[in-house]
Amino acid sequence: MMKFRFRRQGTDPQREKIKQELFAFNKTVEHGFPHQPSALAFDPKLELMAIGTKSGAIKVYGHPGVEFTGLHKDTTAVTQILFLPGQGRLLSLLDDNTIHLWELVAGAPREVGGVKREGVVCLQEVDSYSLPGRPGIESCSATRVTVLLLLRSCDLLCMGTEGGGVYFLELPRLSLKDNQTLLQDQVTQSLPDDYRCGKSLGPVESLQEHPQQSGKILIGYSRGLVVLWDLSTRHTEQLFLGKQQLESLVWERSGNLFVSSHNDGGYSVWAVTNGNIYSHQPVSSTIPYGPFPCKAINKILWRTTQTGSPVLLYSGGMPRASYGDRHCLTIQQDKHHVTFDFTSRVIDFFTVHSIDQEKEFDEPSALVVLLEEELVVIDLQTPGWPSMPTPYLAPLHSSAITCSFHISSVPPKLWERLVNAGKAQQGRWPICGGKNLAPPPKQQELLLTGHEDGTVRFWDASGVALTPMYKLSTANVFHTDCDPCDDPQGASDDPDMQQEEEWPPFRKVGCFDPYSDDPRLGIQKISLCKYSNKLVVAGTAGQVIVLGLSDERSDHLVDVSVVDLLQDREGFTWKGHDRLEPRLKPAPFPPGFQPLVLVQCLPPASVTAVALHAEWNLISFGTSHGFGLFDYHRRNAVLARCTLHPNDSLAMEGPLSRVKSLKKSLRQSFRRIRKSRVSGKKRTITTTPTSKVQEANAALAEQEDVAPIQRRIEPRSADDSLSGVVRCLCFADTFLRDGTHHGPTLWAGTNSGSVYAYALEVPGVGLGRACERGGAGESSVCVEALLGKEIQLMHRAPVVSISVLDGRGKPLPDPYEASQDLAIAPEMTNAHSVLIASEEQLKVFSLPKVSAKTKFKLTAHEGCRVRKVALVVFSSTAQEDYSEHTLVCLTNLGDMHLFNIPGLRPQVGKKCVPNESQVQSGNCIIIWLFFSTGFYLISPSEYERFSLSAKVLTEPLCSVQLERPLEPTPASDGMMTQPQANGTHKNQMGQAEEEPPSSLSSPILDTPLDSPLSFADLTLDSTGEITAEDVRDFLTTVDEAENNLKNIKEEEGRSTGILIN
């Protein structure tokens, strides 16, 4: 009879202390490009840039690694940002008509990496102001702020409104100066009668201070009127009677001229004179892309140079009929004319130029353009105005991210070769303010992202700034319509050549391109061996490419091998997309990773799992039809196993199929419902010994005294669609044949809870028969695979992960680590075990017998399912030489659970992903770092970086040299929190969560026992346990055969299935 004895242990103070030294959950920094940017500002003195977003976040950037984040209390769009130059203060205008003052404040000294860091600052809101409505007017729209201007003295803020009034705030107190208010009526009285005509001047569109004379400002109204107003005398200096709707204004450096841009696609140059108060006509007026109707020029800048010809920069102005849908910015200087064509909307832009009043010219050095999906920087000092590579804020979503992979402790040689392969144009980054106080990274970390367009991008993830290093394109391996070369700085981009070819002289700039010409190129899985420099990339059309790193350009033909996973099985017809056609002629490949061999799976379904073992020269890959094993050194297929169930019809249609029948889908759904209702009755009708075991398991599961964390697992039907999908693959050197001889093995887990274990015979590896053959060289001996064991989980939950543990219960080292003394050699004297994680439960089996040792079942009443699993090393903050291997799993609810191994005792739990739909919809991509850090997507363009370790923490630690003394932060504990943007600081009710970063809480102390976070340490005594998995052993040794002969009588009358609940 089955026995379960649960022994609830009390809280161990010593263990709780160790947990606090090991585990701590912190969201540290956000990588990537801010989602939905809405405002831009630049401090020329501190060389800092600020970006505001529609979610109410403000992000300040400087030198790579210098970042500050601030969050408004309400998730309201930021419409405008202004820096108080040199002071470390900035003003933000929100869509709800409130103005907020932010300051960089000093934090308490912090100890980072054993070194005490002083001068660390953070961004904090100190005050806010809302402009009241005018008396007698019911609506407050008249006082809605449309534009802000900060005077050079930094003590007065001018606010233009929709009602045409200009209001003034005293800084930094944010107090309104009523005696300075300029209403539209006062301006109208100075206008000639023929210009008034009873019409309103419209909202204030632009405010600009005179570059040479303080206290004089230009006020531009929507109707076209521009007023030069003297604040000290409170009278009009000059009126410029424009007749075209105004968009923006800009002064020429001397103050003798200013330029206005208009909604008809033109701009006008006006002269400022002292003689006549009225100016009816501009000096010149131009529609650069006329004469046909053009779109408005939204913003214009005029910069002077020593060469004599000014640089004119403006956004918009395209001909409506021909290029009205283009997002463009134009640069003109003398005869040079370039129209930069972007793939997303222009939000704002500024130039980096000289602000010294003693200098005569602006001399712009760079143009910074904030787009809706990326940041583009143009070098204005280099002929041709090329774009500059960005050390941060690179668009992760230049093409939709489809998969990710992370490598820690990258060898220096590999790192250097990647840097050389992706070396871009070098130039001084213009936004370089602040100082990064974070210690240099102890190791180099590499993040790889696969994209829908068939590219793999390599990122430096060692610090706060996520820097692009190298881009690999797989499109040139196949015949497609895609152009693998998207370098915008090619020979065809010469501005003089383009001017002769077309007008306007367009030049494509930026790397954001969300459209894929062929979705079959999409990257689905990535695996990289950092010691052998071998890379495996698998795609949507069943293509698996093995690549090697080369420092030289190469023209060669890629070897192609086809693996049929169906194995000529009858009754299956692939209805999905066709395979990609490989090139039949040599193709050019630039320095970097170059393809060695292409393995094409048939049918060409999307690859769902890959595994690479470079030491054995083997790769394994799985699809919805089965899995295969390929020797890329000898270029031959070793194994092809079909995992399809006879009812897996959906697996034959593919993700891009257009022939799916709604009627057929409904019929299959009703069949599954009907089978689930009668499945219990069918099990009771049978009279086999197995049915009695199932009855016993069912009766036990119904008992009420089962521990709160235990629950009944509903068995899934074997007829479910897509049950043959291969979810995970794993190579391991372990004991599969018997307990004395170990060797290479391959493990595969499927969507239906099936696990296949193959014993591999690799020439020169292990003690297999291949090493015992005489007279034949290794080159003539092929790798062989023999099915060793097949495990079927009774509840048929998808297998998420498979990991083999050595005799000490530690994960096996990666390929080459043990052989090159880069890691501790695995324990091979004691018995190994295998950890199988399904969506329903975690279980450890002993090897080679495959008998259950321990398990943990997840609570079901909240729909908890395992989505991601990883084995992570946690180091102690108190003891340098103490660390623990821990199993970390993420559920579909966004919770993070930690278990020790191999005992699977729950340690701690924490809510990680705030939006459960991100996990459930698959939009949340988690990448685990070996040293307890990870990422997840919080928006299409941003990764949230988090840490589970109390010791390893990557966060911004910055200082800025200001013209004012730094004020200490009011935080009492000295801990500074880096706020999280894009609404991640909001809960579902829209209220701010006041939760400081802290150690991962022990669920024993602060959660009810019936909660899924209730991780009371439970000891499960499974003595005499009846099991519920069906394990079939296909390999027997001589010793095992003798033991089987002795135990034949004991086995008679029993089913071949061993059941583990």
Side-chain angles (χ1 to χ4, degrees), residues 685-758:
I685 294 174
T686 57
T687 58
T688 62
T690 304
S691 66
K692 296 181 179 179
V693 174
Q694 291 174 350
E695 290 177 11
N697 287 339
L700 180 67
E702 295 292 342
Q703 294 179 4
E704 296 180 358
D705 56 349
V706 177
I709 57 170
Q710 300 293 322
R711 63 160 181 87
R712 181 180 59 186
I713 298 177
E714 294 290 344
R716 308 188 184 193
S717 172
D719 299 337
D720 287 346
S721 299
L722 301 177
S723 62
V725 175
V726 177
R727 294 288 297 271
C728 58
L729 293 164
C730 171
F731 286 107
D733 185 358
T734 187
F735 301 91
L736 187 63
R737 302 174 182 273
D738 52 56
T740 57
H741 302 92
H742 63 88
T745 60
L746 170 66
W747 299 74
T750 70
N751 220 32
S752 60
S754 299
V755 177
Y756 304 93
Y758 279 81

Side-chain angles (χ1 to χ4, degrees), residues 903-983:
L904 295 183
R905 291 184 182 275
Q907 301 301 304
V908 288
K910 185 69 176 181
K911 183 75 172 181
C912 176
V913 184
N915 188 0
E916 297 176 6
S917 62
Q918 285 183 301
V919 184
Q920 294 170 356
S921 63
N923 293 329
C924 178
I925 304 177
I926 297 283
I927 307 100
W928 300 104
L929 281 65
F930 186 69
F931 292 100
S932 63
T933 307
F935 306 89
Y936 67 90
L937 278 175
I938 56 175
S939 73
S941 60
E942 287 176 292
Y943 274 120
E944 178 82 84
R945 187 172 188 141
F946 65 91
S947 174
L948 299 174
S949 171
K951 185 176 183 179
V952 180
L953 196 65
T954 302
E955 61 178 346
L957 296 174
C958 323
S959 68
V960 179
Q961 189 69 30
L962 306 178
E963 296 179 356
R964 62 173 176 85
L966 277 172
E967 299 178 4
T969 176
S972 59
D973 57 355
M975 282 291 294
M976 290 188 301
T977 310
Q978 184 72 5
Q980 310 303 315
N982 296 325

